[in-house]
Amino acid sequence: IDVFNSLVKYKDRPTLSNLLVQPFYKFNQQEFKERIFKNYDHSKINVLSNERLSGYPISGGYDSLQIAKRLKKACPNAKIIVNVREQREMITSQYLEYMKSYGVEKFNELLLYSKGHSSRFPSFTFDFFKYHAQISAYKEIFGELNVLVLPYELFKENPRVFMKYLFEYFGLSEIENILSKLDFNNYSN
């Protein structure tokens, strides 16, 4: 089913992340906007998806509010989907990602380090996983009705219901018809 269009192709995601997280004195709003709208398709629901859009968990998401404001400026009418995951599972998953990207701290050391959170540089903090703060910020920036929160576990356990919520949120008609065409047994991208 061809309903969605990815504004940034998978191979270009690192470029988007690097562009988006530039310090304020290097960030180029126009370049960012041109880059994400390069693949815009008026006949589809255009999607910009990247884990980094919510900040980087191992650094406490220190720049998540800045990213949200940059997104609002580039896409003022955007609808936001926040996909949350049970915190213990998410912390474990993020730690594994941290290790894949050459992290050196042992899991227990990283957790202990969070208690002595430094104000000199961004570091891991459990506060990042208190999702309500970031969700509230997105609702304030984009509007209450423009933010949908769905649990990752729902996608895992019942992808049909997950997709139904998503389609309803985007105001698609003939949802049951669309759902009947999706293969929920195929997990490929």
Side-chain angles (χ1 to χ4, degrees):
I1 187 87
D2 206 12
V3 175
F4 297 105
N5 172 51
S6 180
L7 289 173
V8 177
K9 304 308 175 201
Y10 188 79
K11 66 179 178 52
D12 296 327
R13 290 175 68 190
T15 304
L16 169 73
S17 291
N18 291 335
L19 195 61
L20 185 62
V21 300
Q22 292 291 315
F24 72 92
Y25 54 86
K26 287 177 79 177
F27 180 69
N28 183 325
Q29 182 74 41
Q30 188 59 37
E31 181 184 1
F32 172 66
K33 194 171 182 174
E34 287 171 8
R35 188 72 64 103
I36 62 173
F37 285 107
K38 179 175 70 172
N39 297 316
Y40 194 87
D41 184 337
H42 291 280
S43 67
K44 297 180 183 173
I45 295 170
N46 292 279
V47 177
L48 178 62
S49 175
N50 190 318
E51 294 87 355
R52 189 64 178 87
L53 295 177
S54 60
Y56 185 56
I58 299 300
S59 63
Y62 74 95
D63 57 356
S64 57
L65 186 59
Q66 175 178 282
I67 290 169
K69 289 178 179 178
R70 287 176 176 177
L71 286 172
K72 176 66 174 176
K73 203 168 182 183
C75 313
N77 300 316
K79 287 183 163 275
I80 305 298
I81 302 158
V82 180
N83 199 222
V84 296
R85 186 174 184 180
E86 190 277 326
Q87 285 89 339
R88 288 172 297 202
E89 295 234 352
M90 185 64 168
I91 290 168
T92 302
S93 174
Q94 287 303 313
Y95 180 73
L96 294 174
E97 288 298 316
Y98 163 74
M99 293 306 291
K100 284 184 201 173
S101 58
Y102 310 104
V104 296
E105 300 289 336
K106 292 180 180 167
F107 188 68
N108 288 342
E109 291 170 353
L110 189 66
L111 298 181
L112 285 173
Y113 182 70
S114 72
K115 292 179 175 36
H117 187 68
S118 172
S119 62
R120 296 177 67 195
F121 54 89
S123 59
F124 178 84
T125 173
F126 286 109
D127 289 343
F128 180 83
F129 302 96
K130 295 176 181 174
Y131 303 131
H132 65 279
Q134 193 164 51
I135 292 166
S136 294
Y138 267 88
K139 285 181 176 181
E140 185 176 316
I141 293 167
F142 287 91
E144 183 89 23
L145 298 177
N146 291 321
V147 178
L148 174 67
V149 180
L150 292 171
Y152 166 76
E153 291 77 13
L154 177 61
F155 179 72
K156 204 168 140 184
E157 294 164 16
N158 197 335
R160 183 181 179 81
V161 170
F162 183 95
M163 293 306 292
K164 184 176 181 187
Y165 283 133
L166 206 56
F167 293 156
E168 287 172 352
Y169 177 63
F170 284 112
L172 295 178
S173 56
E174 300 183 35
I175 292 173
E176 287 305 319
N177 184 35
I178 297 170
L179 288 170
S180 70
K181 295 177 183 174
L182 293 175
D183 180 2
F184 292 107
N185 296 315
N186 180 358
Y187 294 106
S188 66
N189 259 339

